[in-house]
Amino acid sequence: MNKDNLISAVFGILLGFIAGYLMHEVMASRQPPRFAGNAAGAQSPMAGPAGMPDTPPAPQQQQQQEIAAAQERQEIQQLEQFLQEHPNDAQAVRRLGDLNFDLEQWGQARDLYSRFLQLQPGNVDVTSDLGV
């Protein structure tokens, strides 16, 4: 093998890599990568065209969040009534603290977590939530 053959081989390999890269870029711009529907690779029936994720439209998502918040507020009322009758129920105090935390009612969540830690000291999960 002489010098010219070696230079031609290196040039050919380099040219092949460049052509492959450019072809990949052109194909990716024409058809973006698809999102996996699930572990089996099947696409969700709710998925949009070209494998787009199945996120609900913004108004529907906002409505779902409002419904969830209303359900949490209703659960808060029920737990508050329950705690008036059973003030030392640690699990009800913790659940009420978690609901207030989810609704970003930080002061109430802090007070409830502190109350829970008085009932069950040393609970690491509640201590970390209180720290947050």
Side-chain angles (χ1 to χ4, degrees):
M1 183 174 230
N2 63 22
K3 183 179 173 183
D4 290 337
N5 290 342
L6 185 60
I7 291 174
S8 296
V10 170
F11 183 71
I13 291 172
L14 185 61
L15 188 61
F17 280 121
I18 292 171
Y21 173 77
L22 291 175
M23 187 182 320
H24 169 73
E25 290 299 314
V26 168
M27 295 304 289
S29 68
R30 291 186 181 168
Q31 181 177 1
R34 295 180 184 225
F35 298 102
N38 57 25
Q43 191 173 353
S44 168
M46 295 297 292
M52 294 302 293
D54 53 345
T55 56
Q60 183 181 0
Q61 187 176 13
Q62 182 180 3
Q63 183 180 15
Q64 289 174 351
Q65 289 173 347
E66 290 173 1
I67 291 171
Q71 289 172 343
E72 287 178 340
R73 284 191 289 274
Q74 183 178 2
E75 190 175 352
I76 285 174
Q77 291 175 350
Q78 292 172 350
L79 281 170
E80 286 173 344
Q81 291 174 356
F82 178 80
L83 284 173
Q84 288 176 354
E85 298 171 11
H86 306 92
N88 293 328
D89 187 326
Q91 295 308 315
V93 171
R94 180 176 182 183
R95 178 66 182 145
L96 187 57
D98 289 343
L99 288 169
N100 280 291
F101 186 90
D102 292 343
L103 292 173
E104 298 179 2
Q105 297 173 349
W106 311 119
Q108 293 171 338
R110 180 194 62 229
D111 295 342
L112 289 162
Y113 286 148
S114 298
R115 182 174 162 192
F116 176 85
L117 288 173
Q118 289 173 350
L119 297 171
Q120 289 187 1
N123 187 303
V124 177
D125 293 331
V126 174
T127 302
S128 108
D129 288 345
L130 184 59
V132 171

